[in-house]
Amino acid sequence: MTIQSPIVANGRAYPVPKTCAIAICLDGCEPEYLEVAIADGLMPTLKRMRETGTDRLAHSVIPSFTNPNNLSIATGRPPVVHGICGNYLYEPETGEEVMMNDVRFLRAPTIFKTFYDAGARVAIVTAKDKLRALLGAGLTFEDDRAKCFSAEKSDTSTQAEHGQEAASKWLGMAQPNVYSAELSEFVFAAGVKLLREWKPDVMYLTTTDFVQHKYAPHQPEAKAFYEMFDKYLTELDAMGAAIVVTADHGMKPKHLADGSPAVVYVQDLLDEWLGEAAARLILPITDPYVVHHGALGSFATAYLPEGADQADIMAKLRATEGITDVLTNAQAVARFELPSDRIGDIILVSGENICIGTSEHRHDLAALKEPLRSHGGLTEQEVPFICNRVLPLPERPVLRNFDAFFYATTAAAL
């Protein structure tokens, strides 16, 4: 089918690709992972892409968590436009804390829907199923022009709901454990098969950061992950696709010298200052996969009780060791481009090697077998941005990870 142009999504015009335009989101890919693996000779294709294509660093959106950044990449815009500002939020109108996975939270159409509506073939493969509904919002599958499925639920995907019947059987790979490197490998393998056999115009491949939460860049398990990725990248590149490799966020060690998590338990502080449960601290990193991180990250938002002295609370928080930034709602909206109605009265960011927790007794850290590595703050905002074509890309902070599809389609239109 001929793609109708121009293709305009959320105020940005995207070129019509002549070859497949692929964006790959390497979840939790701190740039050091690539540097170490390339230095060890484990990523020859990515090394060549950096040398003969375009190599930059970009900024992710804040909070540097999975859902906000994946939806920014999917819409080409920051959270103030698409509305997804965390993995998890508090709804004051209902008094409930809920996962921000439902399509009802999405306030802007995705690039995928816009391309699909223009006649394109669109493929989306995600590691975790939590992103699938949001990324696939607005797609329909009856005409075989869209596919959107997850590795996590690949045994039970259907043509009607995902555009691919029994994806694991189709790929010839067993449905992986959600806590495994194989979950991401499934995504890459599916991308190669789709490009070779189904030939999408636009494709998005997004992984899980299980490996990055557990292993530092120099550890063998991390090196093996990136060596594996490069082999699939070699196949995608050889088929002529225009590829942008980026990440949703970086990853930093957040532990003490003895390996125990380094945490500021802010709900405990608020309880001490305002009375038990008078204020409510929300950790937007929270998701169903707490084995990764114990719901500990470097960004939080607090709702204060009516009549609380906000300036006094903010001053106390600024004086708390480990807390680097304390902003009002309005300041956070202006600085981080967040939707004001989905963040609290106060926004907190912690430093490179420390996390923010609620109350100490509320975090089950028994599943953390390795020293904690996590993300969410400004120190995890810097991410790779690599294209296998030569493009006049700006430098960070102008270049954002959510520019991935603009530049992938630009490269694919050359």
Side-chain angles (χ1 to χ4, degrees):
M1 183 179 291
T2 302
I3 303 174
Q4 301 168 17
S5 59
I7 299 169
V8 179
N10 303 312
R12 300 185 77 173
Y14 292 81
V16 175
K18 296 175 182 177
T19 187
C20 184
I22 303 176
I24 300 174
C25 177
L26 296 175
D27 196 340
C29 187
E30 181 70 28
E32 187 183 356
Y33 284 104
L34 303 182
E35 298 293 342
V36 170
I38 287 172
D40 281 5
L42 302 176
M43 303 191 79
T45 295
L46 192 72
K47 180 177 186 289
R48 176 176 52 78
M49 280 176 57
R50 293 176 70 181
E51 293 170 349
T52 64
T54 310
D55 180 24
R56 297 284 190 274
L57 292 172
H59 274 183
S60 75
V61 303
I62 298 295
S64 48
F65 294 141
T66 296
N67 285 20
N69 278 280
N70 270 273
L71 270 298
S72 285
I73 293 170
T75 60
R77 290 299 187 190
V80 69
V81 175
H82 59 72
I84 307 299
C85 55
N87 304 339
Y88 185 78
L89 85 162
Y90 171 60
E91 295 187 289
E93 59 273 22
T94 65
E96 295 183 350
E97 299 177 20
V98 296
M99 299 303 303
M100 206 182 295
N101 295 349
D102 197 291
V103 172
R104 71 186 174 91
F105 292 115
L106 188 60
R107 291 174 170 170
T110 67
I111 297 165
F112 315 127
K113 172 177 166 48
T114 307
F115 267 82
Y116 175 81
D117 289 347
R121 294 167 73 85
V122 175
I124 304 160
V125 188
T126 173
K128 295 177 183 175
D129 201 63
K130 72 172 185 175
L131 280 171
R132 182 189 53 79
L134 288 169
L135 294 176
L139 299 179
T140 56
F141 303 102
E142 65 274 2
D143 60 358
D144 196 36
R145 282 195 302 108
K147 294 183 183 291
C148 182
F149 57 89
S150 73
E152 181 185 359
K153 299 292 180 67
S154 52
D155 275 355
T156 53
S157 68
T158 66
Q159 180 64 39
E161 189 176 356
H162 310 90
Q164 182 61 59
E165 192 74 26
S168 57
K169 183 178 179 181
W170 161 81
L171 187 58
M173 289 180 67
Q175 178 175 291
N177 186 299
V178 71
Y179 298 116
S180 71
E182 288 74 26
L183 198 73
S184 294
E185 183 170 6
F186 188 103
V187 173
F188 302 138
V192 168
K193 185 175 175 70
L194 286 168
L195 183 60
R196 180 176 293 123
E197 299 177 3
W198 194 70
K199 297 178 171 47
D201 299 298
V202 173
M203 182 159 64
Y204 185 44
L205 306 176
T206 180
T207 69
T208 171
D209 56 3
F210 172 73
V211 167
Q212 292 75 16
H213 272 289
K214 287 175 72 71
Y215 304 111
H218 65 277
Q219 292 183 276
E221 294 87 349
K223 293 180 184 180
F225 178 90
Y226 288 98
E227 182 179 26
M228 173 269 291
F229 165 60
D230 198 76
K231 291 176 181 177
Y232 289 102
L233 183 63
T234 302
E235 295 189 69
L236 295 171
D237 181 64
M239 285 186 273
I243 305 169
V244 168
V245 177
T246 189
D248 52 352
H249 55 76
M251 188 76 67
K252 291 291 198 299
K254 309 280 185 181
H255 56 82
L256 303 175
D258 65 0
S260 62
V263 189
V264 180
Y265 290 104
V266 173
Q267 184 67 57
D268 287 340
L269 295 176
L270 295 173
D271 288 351
E272 178 185 334
W273 299 333
L274 296 168
E276 187 172 351
R280 185 189 294 258
L281 188 81
I282 299 297
L283 303 178
I285 194 175
T286 305
D287 68 10
Y289 312 94
V290 294
V291 168
H292 291 21
H293 46 64
L296 294 171
S298 287
F299 182 97
T301 181
Y303 291 82
L304 301 183
E306 189 174 347
D309 187 337
Q310 180 169 315
D312 178 63
I313 296 300
M314 291 179 69
K316 289 178 177 176
L317 289 168
R318 287 192 184 103
T320 301
E321 186 176 358
I323 302 296
T324 59
D325 297 82
V326 182
L327 294 81
T328 65
N329 181 292
Q331 289 169 337
V333 169
R335 184 174 174 187
F336 300 141
E337 299 178 288
L338 298 171
S340 63
D341 61 327
R342 291 182 173 173
I343 57 176
D345 303 305
I346 296 175
I347 286 71
L348 312 172
V349 180
S350 62
E352 180 172 336
N353 301 123
I354 193 164
C355 285
I356 300 171
T358 56
S359 297
E360 187 167 5
H361 71 275
R362 291 177 60 184
H363 290 271
D364 180 6
L365 305 180
L368 291 177
K369 304 303 182 185
E370 290 83 18
L372 178 65
R373 300 174 57 79
S374 196
H375 52 95
L378 292 159
T379 54
E380 296 82 48
Q381 187 176 26
E382 195 167 88
V383 295
F385 197 103
I386 302 165
C387 184
N388 67 341
R389 303 284 197 274
V390 176
L391 294 173
L393 298 187
E395 301 283 351
R396 66 193 186 284
V398 175
L399 183 64
R400 308 296 297 275
N401 61 350
F402 60 73
D403 295 323
F405 274 106
F406 178 79
Y407 289 114
T409 56
T410 297
L414 295 175

